[in-house]
Amino acid sequence: MADDFLVALILAGGRSSRMGRDKALIPVAGVPLLRRVVEAAGSCCQQVYVLTPWPERYQAVGGSYNLLMETNPGQGPMVALATGLSQIDCVWLLLLACDLPQLQPDILRGWKEQLTLVPPSHLAMIPRHGSRWEPLCGFYRHQALESLQEFMATVERSLQRWLDQVPVTPISVGTVESQMLLNCNTPEDLRAIASEGTSANL
Ligand SMILES: Nc1nc2c(ncn2[C@@H]2O[C@H](COP(=O)(O)OP(=O)(O)OP(=O)(O)O)[C@@H](O)[C@H]2O)c(=O)[nH]1
């Protein structure tokens, strides 16, 4: 069977220490954050995976997704991305944090359309904001795995620094996209979203 062209990997194994409780399960406009991300991912990807050391916590979040058990947790997003790539057959993988309440499916689908234009030598297509990448809402080729493993062998664990060193197609980020990329780390972030109302179109 042919590999899926695009799958999503949602990371739900962080400590949520700034939030003080599990971010993935916090409802925003009545819908748990993880479910919002699952549904946005499902609108443009053939399969959606959630990587977590606590699959039992997320069994009943709702939406359509596969839980992937993380046996080496707490190593951060770069290790988690490599873990996902080593377990999933695909051409491209859309990596998403679980704390993106304002993802817009139409923007994600527009970005997906651009994947066919990425030069074969480029390992990723990632939103870029000024001098910063947004690696937790970005697209990675399956072939990136080898390069990630080599990079991590030097004890580096920074996706920002890896992206600075390999060929990457940047996605330019305007006002709408930058709103969509705002994540939710603290109770203050949650209050700001609640008071503004979320623009997520889920
Ligand atoms: N599966 C997995 N996800 C991770 C890991 N580290 C971070 N994440 C996820 O990566 C995303 C961004 O994480 P952060 O907000 O930077 O870190 P966090 O640990 O969740 O939160 P803080 O403790 O407040 O820093 C979230 O979706 C996290 O759940 C990890 O080791 N494994």
Side-chain angles (χ1 to χ4, degrees):
M1 194 175 80
D3 294 344
D4 287 326
F5 177 70
L6 176 64
V7 304
L9 179 69
I10 303 171
L11 301 184
R15 289 169 300 139
S16 297
S17 55
R18 286 167 287 174
M19 187 64 79
R21 61 190 164 127
D22 186 350
K23 284 187 280 195
L25 296 176
I26 293 178
V28 170
V31 180
L33 266 172
L34 178 58
R35 179 168 179 159
R36 299 181 77 91
V37 179
V38 163
E39 291 185 355
S43 75
C44 69
C45 297
Q46 283 153 291
Q47 301 279 342
V48 177
Y49 295 89
V50 174
L51 180 66
T52 179
W54 314 288
E56 64 290 348
R57 269 193 211 173
Y58 304 131
Q59 260 159 9
V61 158
S64 180
Y65 57 95
N66 308 292
L67 284 162
L68 279 185
M69 175 71 183
E70 190 171 17
T71 51
N72 186 22
Q75 308 293 309
M78 186 174 214
V79 174
L81 168 61
T83 301
L85 284 171
S86 64
Q87 292 186 35
I88 299 170
D89 286 331
C90 60
V91 179
W92 284 96
L93 181 146
L94 169 59
L95 183 69
L96 293 166
C98 68
D99 59 358
L100 294 164
Q102 312 201 67
L103 284 177
Q104 295 199 27
D106 53 340
I107 294 178
L108 293 177
R109 285 193 292 267
W111 288 352
K112 176 187 176 183
E113 296 301 314
Q114 296 174 33
L115 289 174
T116 52
L117 305 174
V118 175
S121 61
H122 285 201
L123 297 181
M125 184 180 89
I126 308 288
R128 190 168 168 89
H129 211 184
S131 61
R132 299 273 303 168
W133 300 101
E134 298 282 357
L136 299 189
C137 184
F139 299 83
Y140 298 81
R141 266 192 214 282
H142 200 277
Q143 287 102 305
L145 178 59
E146 196 180 335
S147 169
L148 285 165
Q149 286 170 332
E150 279 169 15
F151 190 77
M152 290 189 298
T154 66
V155 200
E156 278 274 12
R157 296 283 156 93
S158 162
L159 278 170
Q160 290 287 340
R161 284 200 284 276
W162 178 76
L163 290 164
D164 282 339
Q165 292 185 18
V166 297
V168 178
T169 297
I171 302 173
S172 58
V173 171
T175 313
V176 177
E177 292 88 353
S178 78
Q179 180 75 15
M180 169 180 113
L181 294 167
L182 288 177
N183 59 355
C184 198
N185 286 316
T186 65
E188 291 70 39
D189 293 341
L190 262 184
R191 279 194 284 277
I193 286 166
S195 67
E196 285 165 19
T198 174
S199 61
N201 191 18
L202 293 172

